[in-house]
Amino acid sequence: QEPLMESGGGSVQAGGSLRLACAASVDTCYIRFNYYMAWFRHPPGKEREGVATIALNDTTLYADYVKGRFTISKDKSKISLYLQMSSLKPSDTAMYYCAVGPWGGFDSRQYMYWGQGTQVTVSE
């Protein structure tokens, strides 16, 4: 069983919005008290890239290409992570993954728990 499970992906036209959610299917102390939760994405034909992170103290970090359009948030009591995406562009088309790890940042190797991903497709 994957420790994290994403939902909320779908197809939308450019300029539209989507809200992704990530829920922990396993309530482990590591996930609940870990320092960082993050969203990554894997666009077609490209490398996986970081989108946004949120720390235990709610400090957030955004990649330049989503800054001002995406908002990361979490519900610590439910060990849930969210990504509100607005003003979507075709370049945002990707498989989106949530992840949990101790160090933060956009190096995916720093994250120990991953979900299976949810597809976001943005058309012109």
Side-chain angles (χ1 to χ4, degrees):
Q1 185 179 14
E2 296 292 339
L4 302 171
M5 185 174 298
E6 303 91 342
S7 62
S11 297
V12 65
Q13 288 188 323
S17 300
L18 283 174
R19 186 174 189 249
L20 305 184
C22 172
S25 58
V26 177
D27 186 4
T28 67
C29 289
Y30 188 86
I31 291 177
R32 182 181 290 276
F33 296 110
N34 218 301
Y35 288 112
Y36 292 91
M37 300 183 77
W39 288 99
F40 285 80
R41 68 186 186 185
H42 194 172
K46 297 183 180 180
E47 298 292 318
R48 182 167 50 187
E49 59 189 19
V51 175
T53 72
I54 186 166
L56 195 62
N57 64 1
D58 291 338
T59 300
T60 57
L61 174 69
Y62 294 93
D64 287 343
Y65 35 81
V66 304
K67 199 173 294 184
R69 300 187 298 120
F70 291 11
T71 302
I72 189 171
S73 61
K74 64 180 171 67
D75 181 338
K76 183 180 178 182
S77 64
K78 297 180 181 179
I79 323 175
S80 297
L81 181 68
Y82 305 98
L83 185 68
Q84 178 66 47
M85 305 185 296
S86 302
S87 301
L88 283 162
K89 305 174 182 179
S91 57
D92 294 318
T93 295
M95 185 70 79
Y96 283 73
Y97 299 89
C98 63
V100 175
W103 302 113
F106 292 140
D107 183 349
S108 60
R109 296 170 297 179
Q110 303 299 329
Y111 292 84
M112 298 183 63
Y113 290 93
W114 291 83
Q116 290 187 320
T118 185
Q119 178 68 37
V120 171
T121 302
V122 184
S123 58
E124 294 283 359

